[in-house]
Amino acid sequence: MKIKKMSILFLVILGFLILTFSIFKKNPDETIKVKVLDYSNISTSNKYTGIVSPKEVFPIVAEGPTIVEKFLVKVGDEVKKGDQLVVFSNISLLENERILRSNEIDIEDTRLKLSNLESGPLKIELNNKILEIKNLEEELLNKKRTLPILESETKAAKNRLTAYKTLFKEGGVTSTDLSSMTSQAERINLDLINLKSSILLSQDKLTFLKQNYDSLNKELSLEKMILLSKLEKLNLENNVLKKRFEQISKPFVSPYDGIVYTLNSKDGVSLAGGERLLTIATQAKNIVKLDIPIENSQNIKVGDEALVTPPNNEVENASKILGKVSKVSSIAKSSADEKKNLIIETEVEMPDSIHFNPGYFVDVEIFSDLKSNTLSVDSFSIFEDKNQPFVFILDNGVAKKTPIDIGFKTKSNAEVLNLPKGTKIIINPFNIMDGQRVLSE
């Protein structure tokens, strides 16, 4: 009896469920939203916070040792070309004036030494050497002209001596005549030998004089080069000193239009030559600097699009501005916070027409892995059943569970490979059953 009652109860419950399902299926009691499948671009995106930085920053440096009397600007001030930036102490003015005067004295002294070099002892000695060389060359030339004449006379004397010897044997001349002719021939031959020796000696002397002249000339040229080099160096220093003196003799003015980006010194501080006073950011292109966690940087590349939300009151009637990733560092570094996480320094470049003041924090959304002309579905419309992804499509007022093949995929979208364009995808199928009749908004 008990079993019979349980069977009847089971049949009643089963009938009630069948009736409920039938009514539920026939009555469109669920309102849904649909998205028509169409070609679009899909990408992955992440949001970050960055700081606006100028692309062009010009340093303003102290030309020489000086003392800052007072800065006339502060960080963030907008300046025009010619605006006064800083006033220097009179103490540094007097010191630079003393250094400039000392430099001018050195220049005058070097010029005098150069002038004296053209008429001094070394130049006189050099001129004397030139005269000696010319005289010796003339003397040597005369000797060489005499040589063939003396050689001819020597030959003639030898021939006469040979003739006299023959005549002496035949009794044509006396022994006195022969002795006289022999002496004459020997004297002429000795003159020839002496002339040749003199020519050789003069040639050696001329070579020595020329070497001595070259040595003196090199010494003079070297000294002249040293003085000219020193003069050139002093003139360069003079230009720097004059520029330095001009800089500190009156309030220093801005050479650019822009915004004071940093102050690198303070009132009353002494600076060495070449030290930076401040920097000015020109109102050229802006960039946004980002520190992106290394795990999020793998797919970011130069050229990726980025949406930048302007700081308050910076750009009128602009909700977001489209920029592009212009730099992705290839080297990871530790973050500045206590966590010391690895980050990748990244820069986003803004359009030429957009100018933000440096230092503002802005939100940036970077779009990576862009794939164009793709049929895609929102990720929250996709479910899985035994590792098979599926969606619900709207077909003649009925929700149908449909398996899909997924291609390119991001956190928010997935490419659908097996559904045609125009398919109606139910985008909020959380309470929908396969085969259920639904109404679309």
Side-chain angles (χ1 to χ4, degrees), residues 134-152:
K134 286 183 177 180
N135 289 335
L136 188 57
E137 285 176 340
E138 187 66 27
E139 180 183 331
L140 184 60
L141 182 60
N142 290 331
K143 289 178 180 179
K144 287 181 177 180
R145 287 173 180 170
T146 305
L147 180 62
I149 297 172
L150 194 56
E151 286 176 337
S152 178

Side-chain angles (χ1 to χ4, degrees), residues 268-285:
V269 173
S270 297
L271 298 175
E275 280 197 70
R276 183 177 295 182
L277 287 163
L278 52 90
T279 58
I280 294 179
T282 61
Q283 293 180 330
K285 283 185 177 181

Side-chain angles (χ1 to χ4, degrees), residues 26-149:
K26 291 180 180 180
N27 294 305
D29 57 352
E30 186 73 25
T31 301
I32 50 89
K33 293 181 179 180
V34 297
K35 176 182 178 182
V36 178
L37 195 61
D38 200 357
Y39 290 103
S40 62
N41 299 333
I42 62 173
S43 63
T44 180
S45 68
N46 288 292
K47 291 185 177 180
Y48 309 96
T49 298
I51 185 168
V52 177
S53 300
K55 189 172 183 180
E56 293 181 333
V57 177
F58 294 96
I60 306 297
V61 300
E63 296 292 340
T66 187
I67 300 173
V68 176
E69 182 76 21
K70 182 177 179 59
F71 277 103
L72 305 178
V73 293
K74 60 183 183 298
V75 173
D77 283 354
E78 185 173 343
V79 294
K80 299 293 183 182
K81 185 176 181 179
D83 287 352
Q84 294 183 356
L85 301 176
V86 60
V87 176
F88 298 104
S89 169
N90 286 332
I91 297 175
S92 54
L93 180 63
L94 294 173
E95 176 62 19
N96 278 278
E97 186 177 16
R98 182 191 65 78
I99 297 173
L100 177 59
R101 180 55 185 157
S102 175
N103 168 264
E104 290 173 344
I105 291 173
D106 289 341
I107 289 175
E108 191 62 31
D109 180 62
T110 305
R111 285 174 177 166
L112 286 173
K113 287 180 179 179
L114 276 169
S115 179
N116 290 334
L117 199 62
E118 296 299 325
S119 57
L122 192 59
K123 183 67 174 180
I124 293 173
E125 185 178 357
L126 197 62
N127 290 335
N128 288 335
K129 292 294 181 184
I130 294 174
L131 290 175
E132 287 184 43
I133 289 172
K134 286 183 177 180
N135 289 335
L136 188 57
E137 285 176 340
E138 187 66 27
E139 180 183 331
L140 184 60
L141 182 60
N142 290 331
K143 289 178 180 179
K144 287 181 177 180
R145 287 173 180 170
T146 305
L147 180 62
I149 297 172

